Amino acid sequence: MTGSVTPPLPSSPGTPGGATELALSPVGEPPPLRADAARNRTRLLEAASQLMAGCGAAQLTMDAVAAAAGVGKGTVFRRFGDRTGLLVALLDHREQQLQAAFLTGPAPLGPDAPPLERLHAFGPALVRHERDHHELILSSRTDPLRTYDVPANRLRLTHVTMLLRQAGVAGDAELLAHTLLGSVDSVLVHHLIVERGMPLDRVLAGWHDLVTRLVTRPSSAT
Amino acid sequence: MTGSVTPPLPSSPGTPGGATELALSPVGEPPPLRADAARNRTRLLEAASQLMAGCGAAQLTMDAVAAAAGVGKGTVFRRFGDRTGLLVALLDHREQQLQAAFLTGPAPLGPDAPPLERLHAFGPALVRHERDHHELILSSRTDPLRTYDVPANRLRLTHVTMLLRQAGVAGDAELLAHTLLGSVDSVLVHHLIVERGMPLDRVLAGWHDLVTRLVTRPSSAT
DNA sequence: ACTTTAAACGGACCCCGGTCCGCTTGATTC
DNA sequence: GAATCAAGCGGACCGGGGTCCGTTTAAAGT
């Protein structure tokens, strides 16, 4: 179980400017749910997953999910904050596999391979994963800014940043990681392939090329 | 006047798979509006702009815009398709300045400077422009896929692609252009600066660094 | 077992985006 | 200037996201 989606509890409007800390992820103690709450959470995720499988994201209305799970509508919102929250939770759950693959899995994705190799392998793995779940991803992007707060995406960023550093890349590893990840962003790739008819191979070649360019030290400037 | 926002006329469901051509932008004859329609269009854009300036994007409801412009709600939808369409039209209008700057303006942005210099200048110009309009941009991103269809964004892509080619870059210019543009995407930059506290200079340095890396031929691979 | 308390629950309710369809009006033709 | 017709118009209507608040119930204390 993920347990990562900390819903925006109504008790935390707090300081608006909140510069005390990042305050976005006071991850440390996701207070355990009450028994019934946990049970309902599971039911809701299952119901949502089935509705999704059955009729696509369009049919995934909050009322429908609530009804299918046999709970009230308010409960869904209490648990997941809003529709996006529910979708993210659903997605987050499906991320586990991918995360396991690059965190602890076998080479070339896992920690046994050298950083550069892992980096090269990471792109295709991501693209494949995102293609499998693109509908869910698409519909969870209603609020563009929140994308960067999704745990899965944060994890990817840290991962790529780390790999870049380990590969001995010169320069701003964090920014470069953003750039790399952006180049295989789910929405972009979907656009390129579906709407522009670009072959998948070309996108993947782009990833490898980009990794190579970024890892290579720029020899001459203007 | 832009005149670019061709609303999805109810008469054009046509062939769904439409592989005849791109069919996305049959730009060629935006059929002229009837007098009253044109008048209302202007009124609506003005009303929207004022509401935006007055109370922010949140208050920009379709009803409010319609009321402020003194027309019916249906008219707004007929003209702009949906809320996003209205926002894009608004944004598109404000793009003119930027577009003029890099299409026909003076060096280093305009055509009088060498390609590489234009490329370096383009990033900062974009970032500045996007910061000025980030609220509008943000709220026009509800439908992530449509982003790539916005005329302004297409233009940017072609522009950067062209500059890359002119600068003699080796490799997939179109993909590289996507990558470059992605690295200064409005939402990303806003996230980095506002939520992560990254100084603007660092983002801009990232752009220059990236341009340099991409233009430089990768000397050694794995 | 009984009390207490905060969390969880449910569904009526509100708001807004988007649709629909009958009416109006600007353009064009004769 | 009258007739014709497509384009434009408007606002009632619908459905779904999100909120609110009175009620219920799991858990902790005695």
Side-chain angles (χ1 to χ4, degrees):
Chain A
M1 189 53 63
T2 61
S4 54
V5 183
T6 314
L9 293 172
S11 54
S12 63
T15 50
T20 17
E21 196 137 9
L22 265 185
L24 276 170
S25 64
V27 196
E29 9 151 347
L33 295 174
R34 229 168 65 172
D36 52 350
R39 178 175 47 79
N40 282 342
R41 188 187 139 91
T42 311
R43 280 191 190 167
L44 284 168
L45 283 178
E46 271 172 19
S49 196
Q50 281 196 330
L51 277 186
M52 187 79 180
C55 319
Q59 302 307 313
L60 201 92
T61 77
M62 298 303 260
D63 293 87
V65 175
V71 304
K73 190 178 176 183
T75 304
V76 191
F77 282 94
R78 155 168 296 266
R79 193 57 47 215
F80 298 102
D82 56 9
R83 199 181 117 104
T84 301
L86 174 60
L87 295 177
V88 167
L90 220 48
L91 198 51
D92 200 55
H93 185 252
R94 301 189 185 176
E95 292 275 341
Q96 304 298 319
Q97 238 183 335
L98 177 66
Q99 292 181 9
F102 68 75
L103 285 180
T104 64
L109 224 47
D112 287 341
L116 190 55
E117 202 179 319
R118 295 180 77 186
L119 214 41
H120 274 289
F122 190 66
L126 249 189
V127 170
R128 224 174 299 126
H129 175 265
E130 297 192 322
R131 286 208 80 186
D132 290 345
H133 304 294
H134 84 271
E135 188 181 5
L136 193 46
I137 294 176
L138 248 302
S139 41
S140 76
R141 285 279 176 98
T142 322
D143 186 354
L145 261 175
R146 215 193 305 187
T147 306
Y148 298 101
D149 296 331
V150 173
N153 289 337
R154 289 178 163 228
L155 182 57
R156 288 173 193 179
L157 182 70
T158 359
H159 185 63
V160 172
T161 308
M162 184 198 67
L163 289 182
L164 282 173
R165 291 216 176 93
Q166 288 181 354
V169 64
D172 196 324
E174 191 180 335
L175 275 187
L176 292 176
H178 270 295
T179 300
L180 265 176
L181 285 173
S183 80
V184 288
D185 175 79
S186 175
V187 182
L188 173 60
V189 172
H190 183 268
H191 167 75
L192 291 178
I193 291 182
V194 175
E195 290 178 63
R196 306 277 313 217
M198 192 176 282
L200 177 59
D201 287 349
R202 185 170 160 198
V203 176
L204 294 184
W207 168 269
H208 294 302
D209 178 58
L210 193 56
V211 168
T212 304
R213 285 177 197 253
L214 294 194
V215 164
T216 304
R217 171 153 320 174
S219 44
S220 65
T222 308
Chain B
M1 191 53 63
T2 61
S4 54
V5 183
T6 315
L9 293 172
S11 54
S12 63
T15 50
T20 17
E21 195 136 8
L22 266 185
L24 276 172
S25 62
V27 196
E29 8 153 346
L33 295 174
R34 229 168 63 174
D36 51 350
R39 178 175 48 80
N40 282 342
R41 189 188 139 91
T42 311
R43 279 191 190 168
L44 283 168
L45 283 178
E46 271 172 19
S49 196
Q50 282 196 328
L51 277 186
M52 188 78 180
C55 320
Q59 301 307 314
L60 201 92
T61 77
M62 299 304 261
D63 293 270
V65 176
V71 305
K73 190 179 176 181
T75 305
V76 191
F77 283 94
R78 156 167 294 267
R79 192 57 47 212
F80 299 102
D82 57 10
R83 199 181 115 103
T84 301
L86 173 61
L87 296 178
V88 167
L90 220 48
L91 198 51
D92 200 55
H93 186 252
R94 301 189 186 177
E95 293 274 342
Q96 304 298 319
Q97 239 183 335
L98 177 67
Q99 292 181 8
F102 68 74
L103 285 181
T104 64
L109 223 48
D112 287 341
L116 191 54
E117 201 178 319
R118 294 180 78 187
L119 214 41
H120 274 289
F122 190 66
L126 248 189
V127 171
R128 225 175 299 125
H129 175 266
E130 297 193 323
R131 287 207 79 186
D132 289 346
H133 305 294
H134 84 271
E135 188 181 4
L136 194 47
I137 295 176
L138 249 301
S139 42
S140 76
R141 286 278 178 97
T142 322
D143 185 353
L145 261 176
R146 214 193 306 187
T147 306
Y148 298 101
D149 297 330
V150 172
N153 290 337
R154 290 179 161 228
L155 181 58
R156 289 174 193 177
L157 183 70
T158 357
H159 186 64
V160 172
T161 306
M162 184 199 66
L163 289 182
L164 282 173
R165 290 216 176 93
Q166 288 181 353
V169 65
D172 195 324
E174 190 179 337
L175 274 187
L176 292 176
H178 270 295
T179 300
L180 265 176
L181 285 172
S183 80
V184 289
D185 175 80
S186 175
V187 183
L188 173 60
V189 172
H190 183 268
H191 167 75
L192 291 177
I193 291 183
V194 175
E195 290 179 64
R196 307 278 311 214
M198 192 176 283
L200 176 60
D201 288 349
R202 186 170 159 198
V203 177
L204 294 184
W207 167 268
H208 294 302
D209 178 57
L210 194 56
V211 169
T212 305
R213 284 178 198 252
L214 294 194
V215 165
T216 305
R217 170 152 321 174
S219 46
S220 65
T222 310

